[in-house]
Amino acid sequence: MTKARPLSLITGASAGIGAAFASALAARGHDLVLTARRTDRLEALAEELRGQHGVNATVLTCDLADPHAVEQLCTTLEERGLQVDWLINNAGYGVPGRFDQNDWPVHADFLRVLVTAPTELAWRLIRGMRELGYGRIVNVASLAGHVPGTAGHTLYAASKAYMIKFSQSLALENQELGVHACALCPGFTRSEFHDVTGTRSLVSKMPAFMWQNAEAVVQEGIDAVERGEAVHVTGWFNRTVKSLFKLMPDRLALRMSAKQSKRYRAQDSAG
């Protein structure tokens, strides 16, 4: 059964989609555990949401690239008696450039943050959800996980495709127990993501209809996981893109993806 005040854990909560999830869930009366690397931003957000909605907001600074981070985070939750009802696996970023031009530790950190850490968090927290007969897991994936991979940001689409398949299996395993899992797949979203990856000047040229704000993405995600959807692509434009690529022959889809990706992906020369 749903608790009067569910507790939501949100990774990457300091900005963008993560901060929007925190605001939306606080407005629904959820207590929060906010985690990211930037303590100052988390504290400011927590203070704001406490004042606006009267919720409890706990800040636990965490770098998910640390192999021990998830275990330490969950130990802290247990020590404080915090039972997570909603898990929002949102933390993420992109690594621009050709695959071989980045050092392996850069890729290893990326895979821990976008693949290993969210998977481990789900593994550690879902048992409590199953015991209570209620839980929600939102894995923030991407439209990129549904279309062919592109040159540059080599691991990004692959990591998001993994999260989609993982969410589907997780949903099927737990749907009879009141625990819903959903891969949320936005496209272009107004956030700091493109500033961090150095592609702001490229994506700023994209038409306005291709973009969504973080609040709209989050509302679709909350509605989708509550309905029990295993995968949800946000926005009419992104759903259209997904459908078109699904209908295309693989060779044509890959060629089109390669052509379009040059408009918004940071790429290095092949030589």
Side-chain angles (χ1 to χ4, degrees):
M1 295 180 62
T2 309
K3 294 190 301 191
R5 293 172 68 93
L7 177 66
S8 293
L9 168 62
I10 304 166
T11 69
S14 60
I17 291 175
F21 259 114
S23 296
L25 292 171
R28 291 165 62 99
H30 289 217
D31 290 332
L32 306 171
V33 176
L34 308 176
T35 182
R37 293 179 299 172
R38 295 178 287 189
T39 305
D40 55 342
R41 287 203 178 192
L42 291 176
E43 292 287 5
L45 178 61
E47 182 177 358
E48 176 186 341
L49 297 178
R50 292 183 197 114
Q52 287 183 349
H53 304 291
V55 299
N56 296 318
T58 301
V59 170
L60 297 177
T61 306
C62 180
D63 183 357
L64 295 176
D66 180 343
H68 305 292
V70 171
E71 182 179 8
Q72 293 169 352
L73 176 61
C74 291
T75 296
T76 300
L77 293 172
E78 186 176 353
E79 290 173 348
R80 298 190 183 191
L82 298 173
Q83 166 67 50
V84 173
D85 304 290
W86 283 59
L87 169 61
I88 311 297
N89 275 318
N90 167 73
Y93 59 98
V95 176
R98 206 177 67 201
F99 181 60
D100 63 297
Q101 291 183 332
N102 286 291
D103 294 335
W104 176 248
V106 173
H107 293 312
D109 285 353
F110 175 90
L111 290 171
R112 276 194 289 268
V113 174
L114 275 83
V115 177
T116 306
T119 306
E120 185 180 353
L121 272 169
W123 179 79
R124 290 185 179 278
L125 297 176
I126 200 168
R127 297 178 183 183
M129 296 177 183
R130 287 170 62 95
E131 289 174 3
L132 291 176
Y134 174 81
R136 302 289 184 264
I137 297 175
V138 178
N139 294 316
V140 179
S142 172
L143 175 64
H146 290 284
V147 300
T150 60
H153 296 266
T154 317
L155 297 178
Y156 188 78
S159 70
K160 297 304 185 180
Y162 166 82
M163 293 306 293
I164 291 168
K165 296 301 183 183
F166 172 57
S167 300
Q168 290 173 326
S169 294
L170 209 58
L172 291 173
E173 290 176 358
N174 295 280
Q175 61 185 356
E176 303 297 330
L177 296 172
V179 179
H180 299 174
C182 178
L184 177 62
C185 303
F188 289 104
T189 306
R190 295 182 180 89
S191 71
E192 295 180 353
F193 179 89
H194 301 289
D195 298 312
V196 174
T197 59
T199 56
R200 172 61 60 193
S201 61
L202 291 173
V203 298
S204 294
K205 300 175 184 178
M206 307 301 286
F209 67 82
M210 296 177 64
W211 291 85
Q212 285 185 290
N213 60 44
E215 290 74 19
V217 168
V218 165
Q219 189 57 58
E220 286 196 45
I222 291 173
D223 292 344
V225 75
E226 287 282 53
R227 289 193 300 265
E229 290 186 40
V231 180
H232 181 78
V233 179
T234 68
W236 67 268
F237 175 77
N238 298 319
R239 289 191 285 272
T240 300
V241 169
K242 178 200 169 187
S243 298
L244 288 175
F245 273 100
K246 189 174 181 179
L247 293 171
M248 287 182 193
D250 289 347
R251 184 175 297 181
L252 176 59
L254 187 61
R255 189 182 307 134
M256 180 172 291
S257 182
K259 180 179 179 180
Q260 293 300 317
S261 69
K262 294 178 181 179
R263 302 172 62 187
Y264 56 85
R265 285 279 190 258
Q267 302 175 63
D268 293 308
S269 62

